[in-house]
C-alpha cells in the first residue's frame, strides 16, 4: 500500500467515524449503564455529582420494612426504572440515556436530567477503555504503508 492508498483508506474510516462510534457505544452500553446504576444506588449522587436528597420519615419506614437503603435516595424500589435504562443513538455523535419505566418522567421532574447522565469520570473511562481502544484497532487494521 502506498501513501496515497493509505490516506484514501484512512479517509473512508474517518467519514464513517460517527457510525463506528455509534456501534461501539451501543455494543458496550451495558458497562456505562452498570457504572451509572452502581453510583445511583450506592452513593445516591447524579451525573453532576450532586446528592439526590434524603427520604421522608414515611419512606424510610417503608424502605426499612423491605430491607432497602435509607441513608440516601437510590431511585430504586422494585428496580423497574433501573431495568428500563437504555442508551439510544440520537443523531450524529449524540446519544440519549433514558428509561422505559413509567416513572421516568416523574423522576426526571423531581431529581433532574442529571440522574440519566454519566459523571465526567464515567464518561472518560468509557471513552478510554472502549471508544479509544476500538478506534486504535481500526487504525492499526489499515496496516502498514509498506504492505
Amino acid at each position: 500500500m502506498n501513501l496515497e492508498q493509505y490516506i484514501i483508506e484512512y479517509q473512508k474510516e474517518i467519514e464513517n467515524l460517527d457510525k463506528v462510534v455509534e456501534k461501539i457505544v451501543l455494543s458496550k452500553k451495558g458497562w456505562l449503564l452498570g457504572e451509572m446504576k452502581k453510583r445511583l444506588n450506592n452513593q445516591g449522587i447524579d451525573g453532576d455529582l450532586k446528592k439526590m436528597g434524603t427520604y421522608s420519615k414515611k419512606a424510610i419506614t417503608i424502605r426499612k420494612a423491605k430491607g432497602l437503603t435509607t441513608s440516601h435516595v437510590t431511585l430504586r424500589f422494585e428496580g423497574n426504572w433501573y431495568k428500563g435504562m437504555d442508551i439510544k443513538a440520537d443523531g450524529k455523535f449524540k446519544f440519549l440515556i433514558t428509561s422505559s419505566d413509567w416513572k421516568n418522567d416523574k423522576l426526571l421532574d423531581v431529581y433532574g436530567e442529571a440522574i440519566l447522565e454519566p459523571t465526567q469520570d464515567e464518561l472518560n473511562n468509557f471513552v478510554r477503555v472502549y471508544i479509544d481502544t476500538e478506534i486504535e484497532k481500526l487504525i492499526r487494521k489499515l496496516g502498514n504503508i509498506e504492505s
Side-chain angles (χ1 to χ4, degrees):
M1 177 183 308
N2 64 33
L3 182 58
E4 183 181 4
Q5 291 168 322
Y6 182 83
I7 291 171
I8 289 169
E9 289 300 312
Y10 190 74
Q11 283 177 323
K12 286 180 192 173
E13 294 302 332
I14 296 299
E15 287 172 10
N16 295 322
L17 189 59
D18 61 320
K19 295 298 179 197
V20 170
V21 170
E22 180 179 311
K23 183 178 177 184
I24 296 166
V25 170
L26 297 180
S27 69
K28 304 297 184 183
K29 65 185 175 183
W31 183 88
L32 185 57
L33 291 172
E35 292 299 300
M36 292 171 60
K37 291 173 187 180
K38 281 191 282 189
R39 172 183 36 81
L40 290 165
N41 193 55
N42 297 342
Q43 300 173 38
I45 57 175
D46 65 19
D48 291 334
L49 301 177
K50 294 180 182 164
K51 288 203 175 280
M52 294 183 294
T54 57
Y55 288 112
S56 68
K57 289 180 182 182
K58 181 179 177 183
I60 289 173
T61 302
I62 294 168
R63 291 182 68 79
K64 278 185 179 179
K66 288 187 151 269
L68 299 171
T69 300
T70 59
S71 60
H72 58 271
V73 171
T74 65
L75 305 180
R76 185 179 189 102
F77 192 73
E78 294 178 356
N80 294 328
W81 185 74
Y82 280 60
K83 288 176 196 164
M85 287 175 73
D86 196 12
I87 299 176
K88 297 176 180 160
D90 192 32
K92 194 170 187 171
F93 295 114
K94 293 182 183 175
F95 298 91
L96 177 66
I97 303 174
T98 188
S99 176
S100 59
D101 186 62
W102 66 271
K103 297 180 293 295
N104 189 59
D105 289 342
K106 183 176 181 181
L107 292 174
L108 290 171
D109 286 344
V110 173
Y111 297 102
E113 298 285 330
I115 62 173
L116 285 173
E117 294 174 0
T119 65
Q120 192 60 55
D121 283 346
E122 289 165 348
L123 190 57
N124 290 345
N125 288 336
F126 185 77
V127 168
R128 182 179 45 77
V129 171
Y130 294 108
I131 296 176
D132 286 352
T133 302
E134 292 300 317
I135 290 174
E136 286 172 13
K137 285 180 192 175
L138 186 66
I139 291 170
R140 280 194 301 271
K141 189 174 97 175
L142 291 176
N144 260 329
I145 293 177
E146 299 167 3
S147 306

